[in-house]
Amino acid sequence: MSLRLYDTSTRAVREFEPLKPGRVGLYVCGATPQAAPHIGHLRSGVIYDQLVRWLIRSGYDVTFVRNVTDIDDKILAVAAESGRPWFAIAEGNQRIFNKGYEALGCLPPTIEPRATGHVPEMIVLMRRLIERGHAYNVGDDVYFDVKSWADHYGSLSHQKLENMRSAGDTPNEERKHDPRDFALWKGAKPGEPTWDTPWGPGRPGWHLECSAMATKYLGPTFDIHGGGVDLVFPHHENEIAQAKAAGDEFARYWMHNGLLTIDREKMSKSIGNVVYLDDLLRQVRPVEARYFLVSAHYRSTIDYTPGALEDAASAYQRIEGFLVRTVETLGDVKISADLPTAFVEAMDDDLGVPQALAVLHETVRAGNSALASGDAAAAGEAAAQVRAMASVLGIDPLEWNVSAEGADLRPVVDALVRVVLGQRQAARARKDWAAADAIRDGLAEAGIVVEDTPQGPRYDIKRG
């Protein structure tokens, strides 16, 4: 069985065949950093990190491009309201995005291009479109002529041109040949940043940026384009129109992740139900937050509730508990070179992470039974496979030793707790039960729960 992915453009699961054997070019629409990221943004980051991890595990050399839209109407609006420079807003929030990705264990992209660094490529793309009769300028503004691409426009979102409304992307709608035409370039306005072009000064339109950056780094044809389902129209539809009208084949597969809701409602600042990563990390550890974000299938909507988050944390702790007990019993556990067949089949079936997690937990249960019966060989084999699966999913407890700030704190914490546990054992040995209980209670107040086992005391750190 080989990898199969749901392609939005064909509305079908298709066998994945890369353009070049053994190599994958992936472009994902990243942040428009007008504000700090909420957990819906970060879910997208985790999902495409999961795709990259599985492609790498499957033997592919992956070039992963995730852009930053660092100039946009929204960023300029925040700048005007706050009185701060637009570039400071974009850069400051993008750093918060990247800290969030890092905290959740996301691998860094191969390159993370900024839109403002690729205006020359955008000028070339606009020139190609104008020469081919698919774009026109009115003064300093440049628009894509949707009717010139009428036979193809709507192919991704499966809409008919006659049912589409105005693009609504500029106050100068009356200047367009057709209200559905969308802006490639927006002429200079007072107080806004500008770049010079053959058609006059101004700044790029949102859709133009991604088409120019994707082909810059991945070529005129590449394998996969990803993003949230909310980007299918108009953003990705317009990307396709620009690129193909200019003569590029563009993306061969289109992937879109589902959104995240709060108690079944869309997140909105106006009703005050936006949840940020810091909110999550006050309740659970980063790895438990990652587990929650990947636990639903990537194309489905995932609903955040405190109960759902707690369930995810408990499920992760069962994996962690098994591996910790196995290491305490058997010593170091290496990651298996092989994955269970059922796990591979699940991941190859359009990244079926829920089914893959079911295989992982089944293996944990079998490993716990082996530990209980004293079958060291079976327990060790199960632990090695659990580590292999968890590593692919980015949730291996024995790999999560680095804090969100990048400091390796676990060995320090472990050493300190072991010293205190040694003092507690000494108190128990001399039958000073009051001192032993006081030490245990003090650790509990610090969030460290002690469990006495036949192999000696073990501890766990609880969050929340």
Side-chain angles (χ1 to χ4, degrees), residues 210-415:
C210 282
S211 295
M213 287 186 283
T215 53
K216 163 77 173 181
Y217 295 102
L218 298 176
T221 308
F222 57 93
D223 295 297
I224 304 171
H225 194 314
V229 69
D230 55 325
L231 298 180
V232 172
F233 189 88
H235 186 48
H236 288 168
E237 192 73 73
N238 291 349
E239 280 192 59
I240 293 174
Q242 292 164 160
K244 292 199 171 186
D248 297 332
E249 286 299 315
F250 212 52
R252 302 171 70 240
Y253 297 81
W254 286 86
M255 293 181 65
H256 291 94
N257 62 276
L259 304 182
L260 185 147
T261 57
I262 308 292
D263 282 327
R264 303 191 182 280
E265 290 190 27
K266 183 178 179 181
M267 277 188 289
S268 171
K269 289 184 179 179
S270 63
I271 62 175
N273 71 340
V274 177
V275 177
Y276 297 97
L277 181 61
D278 287 348
D279 299 322
L280 237 62
L281 299 188
R282 280 191 285 268
Q283 303 172 68
V284 296
R285 293 174 290 170
V287 64
E288 293 165 344
R290 180 185 174 98
Y291 185 102
F292 168 70
L293 293 172
V294 302
S295 59
H297 191 271
Y298 78 90
R299 286 195 285 119
S300 66
T301 298
I302 184 170
D303 189 51
Y304 167 84
T305 64
L309 186 63
E310 184 178 338
D311 289 344
S314 296
Y316 172 78
Q317 289 163 16
R318 289 195 290 273
I319 301 169
E320 183 181 40
F322 165 63
L323 288 176
V324 169
R325 287 190 292 274
T326 304
V327 169
E328 290 176 347
T329 304
L330 305 179
D332 191 27
V333 174
K334 302 296 184 182
I335 296 177
S336 172
D338 299 317
L339 291 164
T341 300
F343 181 91
V344 174
E345 290 175 349
M347 294 299 290
D348 275 344
D349 187 11
D350 194 31
L351 291 186
V353 172
Q355 293 78 16
L357 282 171
V359 177
L360 191 158
H361 281 286
E362 182 180 344
T363 309
V364 166
R365 287 190 290 271
N368 278 325
S369 296
L371 279 177
S373 65
D375 189 341
E381 182 180 354
Q385 289 200 330
V386 166
R387 285 205 68 191
M389 290 184 278
S391 181
V392 166
L393 298 173
I395 57 170
D396 180 6
L398 303 185
E399 289 180 342
W400 273 81
N401 292 336
V402 180
S403 73
E405 291 76 26
D408 192 355
L409 299 178
R410 182 154 182 156
V412 177
V413 173
D414 186 71

Side-chain angles (χ1 to χ4, degrees), residues 51-95:
L51 172 63
V52 169
R53 287 173 178 270
W54 184 241
L55 289 170
I56 292 172
R57 176 70 194 218
S58 301
Y60 291 106
D61 180 8
V62 181
T63 300
F64 173 29
V65 182
R66 184 180 65 212
N67 77 294
V68 179
T69 300
D70 60 345
I71 184 67
D72 179 82
D73 291 345
K74 296 176 182 178
I75 293 172
L76 294 175
V78 173
E81 182 179 346
S82 65
R84 297 173 56 211
W86 63 271
F87 53 82
I89 290 167
E91 182 61 25
N93 286 321
Q94 184 56 36
R95 291 181 183 180

